[in-house]
Amino acid sequence: MPKVLEFKLPDLGEGLTEAEIVRWLVEVGDVVAIDQPVVEVETAKAMVEVPCPYGGVVTARFGEEGTELPVGSPLLTVAVGSAEGDLPEDLSDKGTDGAESSGNVLVGYGTGAPAARRRRVRPEAISAAAAPVAEPAPVPVTAPAPAPGPVPAPVSDEASGPVAVVSPLVRRLARQHDLDLRQLTGSGFDGLILRADVESAIRAAANGTAAAPSVPVPVSPPASSPTSAPVAGERIPLRGVRGAVADKLARSRREIPDATCWVDADATELMAARAAMNGAGGPTAGPKVSVLALLARICTAALARFPELNSMVDLEAREIVRLPAVHLGFAAQTERGLVVPVVRDAQSRNAESIGAEIGRLTEAARTGTLTPAELTGGTFTLNNYGVFGVDGSTPIINHPEAAMLGVGRIVPKPWVHRGELAVRQVVQLSLTFDHRVCDGGTAGGFLRYVADCVEQPALLLRTL
């Protein structure tokens, strides 16, 4: 006899609380194997294929493509184990034991313990189970002034025994619209009541009993003034990457007392050094080194001198946490929005290694294949807004980090060089920092060291 197991959207890690369904990889009625990807979802961090820890037949899917689901909501139900002939031999032999041997460790679906199961309730079992409990037949409760229509009077679906519903979302939707689930016929596997069944009943109730007092109709509060009327215009939901960015930036502004200092620097020597590196031929030639990679290497050298800026604030403990490793984030603009991939252990890499990792992460960002682990855990961020053709900015710190270095465009400008006016390659550098972790002297010293390295790249030889 098959059991219907409910697979809920797992915790994908890094504090993610919801995900948007991008593409279903299975249909109702499809046979799935253990650990087979069943849906592609987009979190605030990345696109992820979610594997199902159960093997069997898909009996229901919850949510259409484009629907945003919170973690813990049902994704689909799978009929696991069967009577003879119901499932393919390779799955029916496994029964429910196969679900316990999933190789993918999902939060809530570990490999070491049996997965939580919810028994599917057959319609025949419903009447059999409900009969001994309720001796007299249940009498429908009627409103004082009932209106004609197919919507029965509200009855709590938990009051009189079980119903053929797997999803708590379906139960909640029915409660919100005062629907008695016992009056519905499920279209799912073996009579399961699906969300589509409840939504169909809601539409039927709205069309047939629009004036019925038993169907609650939301009423908008009267406008107290012309300014309280809804604003006309296009409404774009704050969700996915855009919503995550909005939440993080708002939290940064609320919690971090930030300050910004900036300085102009002559980058002529840095550009000449880069040209020399990339122009080398023969056996010493290597991959091209970008300006961003050189600036990242300068940042790691500066953080070694000023470790106060490679830290975070623990509000609950009221402590500043100095971090031993530099996980350097860099801002990257993609079609999905702004993302900040992280170069791990940047303090132990040279410019060539940092450049190669930046290139790999940038390509993954463009194709939307960055993993949550590659987008989190940064300790300091480098923001090259010069690619947008601007000179300066006061960026918002990437919470919970303590600082961010901003780099403007490098352009020819008049500059006094060795006592004479000359045209030099000039860049504006800005440092936004958390004033709780250091004073202005430390921030100014960090920024001055970065500017000195930009103007005299040979200074880096001391730390190589």
Side-chain angles (χ1 to χ4, degrees), residues 2-6 28 57-62 76-79 118-124 126 163-167 170-171 181 184-198:
K3 293 183 179 180
V4 175
L5 301 182
E6 183 181 88
V28 173
V57 178
V58 177
T59 59
R61 301 186 317 191
F62 301 96
L76 49 77
T77 53
V78 179
R118 179 175 297 172
R119 182 178 298 275
R120 173 176 43 79
V121 183
R122 294 177 179 272
E124 300 90 333
I126 296 170
V163 292
V165 179
V166 173
S167 170
V170 174
R171 292 181 180 273
L181 291 171
L184 302 182
T185 301
S187 61
F189 180 84
D190 209 3
L192 284 176
I193 298 176
L194 308 180
R195 181 173 182 173
D197 301 325
V198 176

Side-chain angles (χ1 to χ4, degrees), residues 4-319:
V4 175
L5 301 182
E6 183 181 88
F7 176 40
K8 298 179 181 180
L9 177 64
D11 181 353
L12 300 173
E14 304 296 345
L16 301 175
T17 58
E18 66 272 326
E20 179 180 341
I21 297 175
V22 175
R23 182 167 60 99
W24 281 105
L25 305 178
V26 295
E27 300 288 341
V28 173
D30 286 356
V31 176
V32 295
I34 294 172
D35 292 342
Q36 175 181 334
V38 293
V39 64
E40 187 178 67
V41 299
E42 179 182 20
T43 70
K45 304 295 184 183
M47 300 272 280
V48 180
E49 286 188 352
V50 180
C52 180
Y54 310 133
V57 178
V58 177
T59 59
R61 301 186 317 191
F62 301 96
E64 300 298 326
E65 294 178 358
T67 302
E68 190 171 63
L69 298 178
V71 169
S73 297
L75 269 179
L76 49 77
T77 53
V78 179
V80 178
S82 70
E84 293 186 14
D86 283 353
L87 295 178
E89 183 178 351
D90 60 335
L91 291 176
S92 60
D93 288 344
K94 294 178 182 179
T96 57
D97 294 336
E100 300 169 6
S101 59
S102 169
N104 281 291
V105 180
L106 302 174
V107 178
Y109 298 90
T111 59
R117 293 180 174 84
R118 179 175 297 172
R119 182 178 298 275
R120 173 176 43 79
V121 183
R122 294 177 179 272
E124 300 90 333
I126 296 170
S127 57
V133 177
E135 295 179 1
V139 179
V141 180
T142 57
V151 181
V155 177
S156 172
D157 59 285
E158 289 88 355
S160 304
V163 292
V165 179
V166 173
S167 170
L169 293 179
V170 174
R171 292 181 180 273
R172 184 177 65 183
L173 187 63
R175 283 196 300 268
Q176 289 173 346
H177 293 81
D178 290 338
L179 290 179
D180 185 359
L181 291 171
R182 290 176 183 75
Q183 305 300 319
L184 302 182
T185 301
S187 61
F189 180 84
D190 209 3
L192 284 176
I193 298 176
L194 308 180
R195 181 173 182 173
D197 301 325
V198 176
E199 290 175 341
S200 177
I202 293 171
R203 287 193 296 269
N207 294 334
T209 60
S214 60
V215 180
V217 179
V219 179
S220 301
S224 58
S225 65
T227 58
S228 63
V231 179
E234 181 183 6
R235 291 179 175 266
I236 303 173
L238 274 176
R239 63 185 186 185
V241 173
R242 185 72 262 166
V245 170
D247 293 341
K248 176 164 277 195
L249 296 182
R251 183 178 181 183
S252 179
R253 277 294 190 221
R254 286 194 308 268
E255 295 185 6
I256 299 178
D258 58 346
T260 302
C261 53
W262 57 90
V263 66
D264 290 341
D266 181 1
T268 305
E269 295 299 327
L270 181 69
M271 300 303 290
R274 174 176 177 264
M277 293 178 193
N278 294 338
T284 60
K288 302 294 184 184
V289 177
S290 67
V291 175
L292 187 62
L294 293 176
L295 291 169
R297 180 64 186 88
I298 292 173
C299 280
T300 59
L303 289 171
R305 286 177 169 250
F306 300 92
E308 297 91 336
L309 295 170
N310 192 57
S311 61
M312 60 180 291
V313 175
D314 186 340
L315 286 177
E316 293 185 1
R318 293 186 62 81
E319 295 175 341

